Amino acid sequence: MLKEEKVPLKEAAEQVARVCRRLAMLHLAFAKTLVAEFGEEKGKQIVLKAIKQYGISIGKEVKAKANALGLSLEPENYIEDLPHYGMHESMEKLEIDGEPRIIARGCVMGKYWNEMGMGELGRLYCFVDVAKYMAFNPDYKLVHLKALPDGDEYCEFAIRLTTEQEKKDFFDEDKDWRYIDR
């Protein structure tokens, strides 16, 4: 049994990074298996369907927390669902061209997928960000302006309003909703 003790932040971040790397491996294993079993197009559709459900589960959980606190479902009240340490080397909030942005450097998962030469298949996981925000409040989406698995140096995010068509396509089981991440 583990005894209670204080763990240095650096060590805790390393442990989170280890788990994130394992999650990246798991995602890639499932994605590769689905593509091998069903072909590239159908396999990727199944991966995206699962990622959407995963994101919706996260978004609903965050929504319930915000509701319990009596907060409106505006982006500033999205209670962050990711670890603060270990998943990325650094995260910074800034404003670019008058728009709030988040820059995440050194994503453990993106680095792993790129190391394996599987950035494109790994990148399907990143659509969880769009899904979780739209499940929290369908009027908003968290989009990737840059993404490490796409070959960019870092990930850059922005929160933007969704269109009626994006909402319709996202909640339609048969629509390809990847375009929403822009």
Side-chain angles (χ1 to χ4, degrees), residues 59 63 72-75 78 130-141 160 162 167 171:
K63 182 178 185 174
S72 66
L73 300 179
E74 299 302 315
Y78 186 95
V130 174
K132 69 185 187 182
Y133 261 77
M134 289 188 72
F136 174 73
N137 181 339
D139 293 333
Y140 298 98
K141 59 185 179 175
R160 297 197 169 147
T162 55
K167 290 180 214 178
F171 290 105

Side-chain angles (χ1 to χ4, degrees), residues 9-23:
L9 181 58
K10 183 178 180 199
E11 185 179 330
E14 288 170 359
Q15 294 300 316
V16 171
R18 226 184 254 182
V19 171
C20 290
R21 187 171 172 90
R22 286 288 181 97
L23 181 57

Side-chain angles (χ1 to χ4, degrees), residues 52-70:
K52 183 198 282 188
Q53 289 308 310
Y54 174 46
I56 288 171
S57 295
I58 295 167
K60 285 181 176 179
E61 189 174 89
V62 174
K63 182 178 185 174
K65 288 179 185 176
N67 284 333
L69 294 170

